[in-house]
C-alpha cells in the first residue's frame, strides 16, 4: 500500500521520549478536531489546534487533520519507528512524521503576584461566569454558591461539595481529601467530565500560587494511578496538570488571572470559554474556586 506522509508541525516536548518507551499502541478515540492514540498507559492527541496546544499533543494542520481523520479506525494498531521518527498506521495509507516539527511546553511556574490583580480579576472572572451563556456541566448556580460561601444562604448539594473542596486543598487528612476528590473525579459526561475540568482549573491556580497542601496533590495522583475513576483522556490531562503542564489556553488564562489587567484577562478567558460544550466554562469555574480559596488564605 502506497503511504502518504503527514508531518507534525508542533508536538509537546515529552512526546519523543514517551514514544521511545512505548512504541506500540492503538487508536483510542476519534472526534471532530483529531484523534487519540494510546501508547502503553499514555494518551497522545493528534489533530489541529482549535482547542490550543494540548499538553500531550502532536498538532497538524486543519487540512491534514481532515484527511487523516477519515482513515482512522477505533482500536487500529499504531507503532513508532525511532529511526525514521514516524508513527505508522498499518491499516491505513498514512504515516505521521515528527521530522521538522517544533517542540513546545505550556508549563506554569510559581511566581509572586500583586494582590490588586488577584482582587480585580477575581471580580472579572465572577462577572464573566455569571454573564456567560454556557453553564457548568455540574449544574452549579454560581450566584447561589457565592451566597452560600458568604454565609447568607444555606449551601445545597453540589455547593456543599464545592465548599468542602475549598477546605480539602489545604487539608493534610487523607480521608478528607480523598472524599472530596472522589466526588468530582469522573463526574459529568464526555471525554473530559465536568468535575475533572474543574480540577484542571483549580490546579492551574495552585501551579502559580503554590498554596495547596502537598497531601492534596499526592492524594490526587494516587487515585489517578491506582483507580479507574475517570476517562483515559481526562486522566491524562490531570496527570499532566500535576506536573504543571496544561493546554495553551488554560496556561494563558491562568497567567493572565495573576499578572494582567482585567481587559487582557477577559480576552484570554473568552478564548478558554469557547472550548467544548461546557469544558471551558468548567475549567474557568475551577480557576474561580482556586482564586477564591487563595483569597481566603491571604485574608486569614
Amino acid at each position: 500500500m502506497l503511504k502518504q506522509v503527514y508531518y507534525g508541525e508542533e508536538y509537546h516536548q515529552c512526546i519523543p521520549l514517551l514514544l521511545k518507551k512505548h512504541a506500540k499502541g492503538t487508536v483510542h478515540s476519534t472526534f471532530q478536531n483529531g484523534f487519540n492514540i494510546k501508547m502503553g498507559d499514555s494518551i497522545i492527541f493528534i489533530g489541529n489546534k482549535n482547542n490550543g496546544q494540548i499538553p500531550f499533543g502532536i498538532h497538524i494542520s486543519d487540512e491534514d487533520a481532515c484527511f487523516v481523520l477519515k482513515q482512522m479506525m477505533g482500536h487500529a494498531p499504531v507503532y513508532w519507528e525511532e529511526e525514521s521518527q514516524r508513527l505508522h498506521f498499518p491499516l491505513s495509507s498514512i504515516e505521521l512524521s515528527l521530522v521538522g516539527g517544533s517542540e513546545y511546553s505550556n508549563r506554569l511556574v510559581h511566581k509572586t503576584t500583586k494582590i490588586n490583580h488577584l482582587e480585580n480579576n477575581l471580580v472579572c472572572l465572577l462577572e464573566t461566569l455569571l454573564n456567560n451563556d454556557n453553564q457548568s456541566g455540574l449544574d452549579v448556580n454560581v450566584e447561589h454558591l457565592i451566597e452560600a460561601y458568604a454565609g447568607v444562604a444555606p449551601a445545597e448539594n453540589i455547593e456543599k461539595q464545592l465548599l468542602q473542596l475549598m477546605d480539602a486543598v489545604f487539608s493534610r487528612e487523607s480521608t478528607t481529601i480523598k472524599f472530596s476528590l472522589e466526588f468530582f473525579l469522573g463526574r459529568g459526561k464526555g471525554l473530559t467530565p465536568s468535575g475533572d475540568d474543574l480540577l484542571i482549573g483549580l490546579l492551574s491556580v495552585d501551579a502559580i500560587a503554590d498554596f495547596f497542601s502537598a497531601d492534596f496533590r499526592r492524594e490526587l495522583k494516587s487515585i489517578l494511578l491506582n483507580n479507574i475513576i475517570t476517562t483515559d483522556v481526562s486522566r491524562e490531562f490531570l496527570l499532566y496538570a500535576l506536573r504543571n503542564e496544561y493546554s495553551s489556553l488554560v496556561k494563558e488564562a491562568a497567567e493572565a488571572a495573576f499578572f494582567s489587567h482585567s481587559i487582557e484577562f477577559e480576552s484570554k478567558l473568552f478564548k478558554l470559554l469557547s472550548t467544548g460544550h461546557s469544558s471551558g466554562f468548567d475549567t474557568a469555574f475551577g480557576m474561580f474556586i482556586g482564586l477564591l480559596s487563595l483569597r481566603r488564605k491571604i485574608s486569614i
Side-chain angles (χ1 to χ4, degrees):
M1 182 186 297
L2 183 64
K3 296 286 186 176
Q4 172 68 45
V5 181
Y6 293 87
Y7 291 87
E9 298 177 339
E10 298 176 316
Y11 55 88
H12 191 274
Q13 62 183 19
C14 74
I15 297 294
L17 180 59
L18 191 157
L19 289 171
K20 188 173 183 178
K21 289 181 178 179
H22 305 287
K24 294 181 180 181
T26 58
V27 175
H28 178 274
S29 47
T30 63
F31 34 95
Q32 187 175 357
N33 294 324
F35 63 100
N36 293 315
I37 59 174
K38 189 168 186 178
M39 310 297 282
D41 290 329
S42 298
I43 297 288
I44 296 173
F45 169 78
I46 300 171
N48 63 33
K49 293 196 296 182
N50 285 8
N51 291 324
Q53 292 172 326
I54 304 300
F56 45 92
I58 299 173
H59 291 293
I60 56 181
S61 69
D62 285 339
E63 184 179 3
D64 286 352
C66 290
F67 286 114
V68 170
L69 267 172
K70 291 176 182 177
Q71 301 220 28
M72 287 303 110
M73 297 180 293
H75 308 294
V78 185
Y79 69 91
W80 170 251
E81 186 179 76
E82 181 72 17
E83 184 176 356
S84 66
Q85 294 285 288
R86 288 184 183 183
L87 279 166
H88 296 265
F89 301 85
L91 300 185
S92 76
S93 63
I94 71 165
E95 294 179 353
L96 180 65
S97 172
L98 295 189
V99 174
S102 58
E103 295 185 358
Y104 65 83
S105 172
N106 290 309
R107 183 175 178 80
L108 284 171
V109 296
H110 171 50
K111 297 178 183 177
T112 56
T113 184
K114 295 179 180 179
I115 298 299
N116 64 318
H117 279 318
L118 174 61
E119 290 288 344
N120 293 338
N121 287 338
L122 182 58
V123 173
C124 175
L125 178 50
L126 174 58
E127 291 176 346
T128 303
L129 292 174
L130 288 173
N131 295 325
N132 195 267
D133 291 335
N134 292 339
Q135 293 296 318
S136 169
L138 295 171
D139 195 27
V140 178
N141 184 317
V142 178
E143 187 173 2
H144 195 272
L145 171 66
I146 294 302
E147 293 175 351
Y149 173 79
V152 298
E156 300 177 357
N157 301 321
I158 187 70
E159 296 166 359
K160 292 179 182 178
Q161 296 293 338
L162 287 165
L163 294 175
Q164 288 174 11
L165 178 63
M166 292 173 64
D167 291 330
V169 299
F170 302 114
S171 179
R172 295 183 178 179
E173 294 292 330
S174 175
T175 303
T176 299
I177 298 169
K178 186 176 181 180
F179 176 82
S180 190
L181 286 172
E182 289 185 343
F183 177 86
F184 288 99
L185 285 167
R187 182 166 292 273
K189 300 177 181 179
L191 286 174
T192 59
S194 294
D196 300 344
D197 289 329
L198 180 145
L199 291 173
I200 294 289
L202 186 74
L203 288 167
S204 71
V205 173
D206 180 58
I208 296 175
D210 190 25
F211 66 105
F212 288 5
S213 74
D215 303 83
F216 183 85
R217 284 176 165 266
R218 190 180 303 115
E219 189 63 40
L220 176 54
K221 184 175 182 179
S222 176
I223 293 172
L224 292 171
L225 292 179
N226 296 304
N227 300 275
I228 302 174
I229 196 168
T230 189
T231 66
D232 289 341
V233 176
S234 206
R235 174 180 178 271
E236 200 74 17
F237 272 111
L238 285 162
L239 287 173
Y240 272 85
L242 285 170
R243 302 202 295 268
N244 294 339
E245 289 278 358
Y246 297 85
S247 76
S248 58
L249 296 183
V250 172
K251 178 179 186 289
E252 290 170 5
E255 288 181 332
F258 281 92
F259 309 118
S260 300
H261 293 289
S262 296
I263 293 176
E264 184 179 348
F265 173 49
E266 191 175 31
S267 172
K268 302 294 185 183
L269 197 53
F270 279 129
K271 289 182 181 179
L272 176 61
L273 287 168
S274 68
T275 59
H277 179 65
S278 68
S279 184
F281 186 97
D282 289 320
T283 304
F285 181 60
M287 289 181 182
F288 175 71
I289 295 297
L291 290 172
L292 205 59
S293 302
L294 176 59
R295 182 179 182 275
R296 182 173 63 175
K297 177 163 184 167
I298 292 172
S299 299
I300 293 173

